[in-house]
Amino acid sequence: MNVTRKNIDDLNAVLTVAVYKSDYTYKVEKMLKEYQKQTELPGFRKGTVPMSTIQKKYGQPLFLDMVNKTIQEDLTKYLQQEKLDLLGNPLPVKNDNIDWNAEKIEFDFEIALAPSFDIDLGAIKDLTKYKISADDKMLDDQVARIQKQYGKMIAKATFESGNDVSGTFRNEEKAIDAPAQFSLDIFNDEKAVEKLFLGKKVGDVVTLNTKGLFADDHQLMDYLKVGHDDVHGLDINVDFTIEEITESEPAELNQELFDKLFGEGNVSSVEEIKEKIKEDAERQFETQSNQKFLNDVTESLLENTKFELPATFLKKWIQTVGEKQLTPEEAEVEYARSENGLRYQLIEGRVMSQNNLQINFEDLKAYAAEVIKKQMAQFGQMDPTDADVDGIVQRVLSNQEEVKRLSDQVMSEKMLNLYQEKVSSKVKEVTYQEFVAATYGE
């Protein structure tokens, strides 16, 4: 291995790989002899083609291939031996003046080194950890939804407030022909839409404008069956032909409904239903609160952890890594788009190394087992055997994509536990609506 390094600065260096004729000449000659044994040409029997002909036909490609293999082997060994923490891959330095007949040929490669910095989790201040509670209105609304879901649907001749409708959205220009069934509370301005439906009968057509129709434009994809590229800012009229109007007669809150929802004898009153709804909702809220806390710590680390990046190198490297080579201008745009992601990858890696956060197989196996048990419980299998769970775990962990996904989740959990221990924060109890407002500014 003949590799030397010249440091340009703390983040950039040049590796020079020296390749000597003596390292590969005998290998090329050996391969040419093998080619000679196998080659047949007009006028020559197999194995009798002159070496000069074989050399002319195969010598240069074999020579270049052997040089390239020698370079790659030496680079790989050097990087493994030196344990360099690189950003991107080595980039060859263009050289049009190589003397391919020289006894020693040198090839230069630019490399970028990861910056050195420390993480101080104790320096993060003024973060809020939200404790989200399910308030009485949320519980009452959920009970009402249960009553409606399990209630009796009654056909109506004329639309009245609170009714549901079935029908079809149509727009000839956008080729929209989408059946749908809904309550008017799906719309961003429910009251305005309700005025258009009040008094309408089966067969009537209601015209709606799509701009601002939903709180999230992506719902247009679900209800109108339009493509993702069309949904943002879509401003067209769609005709909704009413095919059915129904009114829900709420289900009676009795023991029969309680048993259907929660199993026989597990719940015997509306108060107990609300307790279960509250427990389930707040468990889900905790997951959302934890994710916001992770996001807030991430933003704080990105804002307060300062280090330089080898930007010039990275922009050159970005030009080369895709299927299509980018122009310098395109690479500039891509670097600006991905810089924060790269910075957080480096920060996350440093947090993991400074705090010795690692994932072993037992961690992964235990986490997968818990996920599987929860999924089985959702389908009514409340007490699976260890053998059943272990069998599913083995199948899941034989899939590399699943292993990657679960590993990310395990590490995210470890990071959360670390941040909760090390990062100073104040706990604030809020309703879900208050949490949404604090998170999304709505």
Side-chain angles (χ1 to χ4, degrees):
M1 181 175 66
N2 301 285
V3 182
T4 56
R5 183 173 93 203
K6 178 183 178 182
N7 291 329
I8 307 303
D9 53 38
D10 290 340
L11 299 176
N12 296 275
V14 173
L15 299 182
T16 299
V17 183
V19 179
Y20 294 85
K21 263 191 177 181
S22 57
D23 292 336
Y24 57 81
T25 300
Y26 73 97
K27 296 179 183 178
V28 173
E29 290 175 350
K30 182 179 179 181
M31 293 181 71
L32 288 172
K33 288 178 182 178
E34 291 298 320
Y35 275 55
Q36 185 183 37
K37 291 177 184 178
Q38 301 299 323
T39 301
E40 293 182 65
L41 290 176
F44 298 97
R45 296 191 311 276
K46 183 177 180 179
T48 63
V49 177
M51 180 54 75
S52 59
T53 302
I54 298 295
Q55 175 72 40
K56 184 176 180 180
K57 186 175 178 65
Y58 300 111
Q60 187 68 6
L62 280 176
F63 163 74
L64 294 176
D65 183 57
M66 191 58 63
V67 169
N68 184 59
K69 285 181 178 178
T70 301
I71 292 170
Q72 295 305 319
E73 288 172 2
D74 284 356
L75 270 178
T76 300
K77 288 178 184 176
Y78 178 83
L79 295 174
Q80 290 174 345
Q81 177 180 299
E82 295 296 314
K83 296 182 173 58
L84 297 180
D85 190 4
L86 298 187
L87 298 181
N89 298 317
L91 290 178
V93 177
K94 187 176 180 181
N95 184 356
D96 294 326
N97 298 313
I98 295 175
D99 181 0
W100 295 101
N101 295 312
E103 291 296 320
K104 180 177 81 169
I105 310 174
E106 292 185 334
F107 301 88
D108 290 336
F109 293 84
E110 294 180 75
I111 60 170
L113 305 169
S116 177
F117 59 92
D118 290 319
I119 300 293
D120 183 6
L121 295 176
I124 300 175
K125 305 293 182 186
D126 301 324
L127 289 190
T128 299
K129 183 74 166 66
Y130 290 95
K131 179 175 172 53
I132 309 168
S133 60
D135 60 10
D136 290 340
K137 182 180 184 306
M138 173 177 284
L139 300 180
D140 289 340
D141 288 347
Q142 185 60 32
V143 170
R145 276 192 286 271
I146 290 172
Q147 287 184 271
K148 182 175 181 178
Q149 179 181 351
Y150 289 90
K152 181 181 178 182
M153 302 304 293
I154 302 170
K156 303 282 289 184
T158 303
F159 186 91
E160 298 175 359
S161 181
N163 289 170
D164 295 341
V165 291
S166 299
T168 303
F169 286 107
R170 292 189 175 90
N171 176 282
E172 186 174 343
E173 179 187 353
K174 291 289 185 179
I176 294 171
D177 190 353
Q181 179 179 2
F182 50 82
S183 303
L184 299 193
D185 59 4
I186 67 169
F187 297 111
N188 190 32
D189 190 343
E190 180 182 351
K191 293 299 182 184
V193 174
E194 185 179 76
K195 289 179 181 178
L196 300 175
F197 276 87
L198 286 173
K200 292 292 190 294
K201 297 179 172 59
V202 172
D204 287 347
V205 176
V206 177
T207 300
L208 301 168
N209 186 270
T210 58
K211 187 174 183 180
L213 186 60
F214 297 102
D216 182 350
D217 282 346
H218 287 92
Q219 289 177 273
L220 293 170
M221 295 170 61
D222 298 326
Y223 284 99
L224 304 187
K225 304 298 185 284
V226 295
H228 184 271
D229 292 342
D230 292 327
V231 298
H232 295 290
L234 183 65
D235 187 1
I236 60 171
N237 287 332
V238 290
D239 293 331
F240 181 79
T241 303
I242 300 174
E243 296 165 4
E244 185 179 24
I245 303 170
T246 56
E247 178 182 48
S248 175
E249 182 178 284
E252 186 179 346
L253 292 170
N254 56 24
Q255 194 60 48
E256 181 182 355
L257 179 61
F258 300 158
D259 291 345
K260 185 183 293 186
L261 290 171
F262 302 103
E264 189 172 349
N266 291 320
V267 167
S268 58
S269 69
V270 175
E271 288 69 28
E272 290 181 10
I273 285 183
K274 289 183 177 181
E275 286 176 10
K276 284 193 170 292
I277 293 172
K278 182 178 178 68
E279 180 182 329
D280 291 342
E282 290 183 353
R283 189 182 302 115
Q284 294 178 31
F285 294 161
E286 184 178 11
T287 299
Q288 294 182 52
S289 173
N290 287 340
Q291 186 59 56
K292 176 167 174 54
F293 185 66
L294 270 173
N295 293 343
D296 289 346
V297 174
T298 297
E299 288 182 14
S300 183
L301 287 172
L302 281 168
E303 183 179 345
N304 296 300
T305 307
K306 305 299 182 184
F307 54 84
E308 294 295 323
L309 287 173
T312 301
F313 172 90
L314 290 172
K315 291 170 189 176
K316 285 200 290 186
W317 176 70
I318 286 171
Q319 288 182 254
T320 69
V321 292
E323 293 182 6
K324 172 193 168 189
Q325 181 152 332
L326 301 182
T327 65
E329 293 75 20
E330 290 170 332
E332 187 84 35
V333 172
E334 179 63 21
Y335 177 76
R337 187 189 67 80
S338 59
E339 181 183 356
N340 262 5
L342 173 58
R343 286 184 178 277
Y344 184 67
Q345 285 180 19
L346 292 171
I347 290 171
E348 185 180 55
R350 193 57 50 89
V351 170
M352 291 164 59
S353 63
Q354 280 187 202
N355 295 278
N356 197 30
L357 296 184
Q358 299 176 349
I359 300 175
N360 57 45
F361 182 74
E362 291 306 315
D363 289 335
L364 203 55
K365 185 177 176 182
Y367 184 81
E370 285 303 311
V371 171
I372 289 164
K373 286 178 184 177
K374 289 177 183 177
Q375 290 175 343
M376 295 175 80
Q378 289 175 351
F379 291 97
Q381 198 168 344
M382 304 302 294
D383 193 21
T385 66
D386 290 343
D388 288 339
V389 174
D390 287 344
I392 299 173
V393 167
Q394 288 180 20
R395 289 198 296 274
V396 169
L397 297 185
S398 67
N399 183 317
Q400 290 304 308
E401 289 185 5
E402 283 297 302
V403 169
K404 173 67 169 62
R405 184 178 66 84
L406 291 171
S407 295
D408 288 344
Q409 291 176 0
V410 172
M411 182 52 69
S412 180
E413 195 171 275
K414 286 178 178 285
M415 299 280 278
L416 173 65
N417 292 336
L418 174 72
Y419 292 160
Q420 288 177 330
E421 177 188 349
K422 303 270 188 174
V423 174
S424 175
S425 63
K426 61 181 179 182
V427 176
K428 183 177 182 180
E429 189 163 343
V430 295
T431 65
Y432 184 69
Q433 288 73 23
E434 290 169 336
F435 174 75
V436 169
T439 304
Y440 304 107
E442 298 176 1

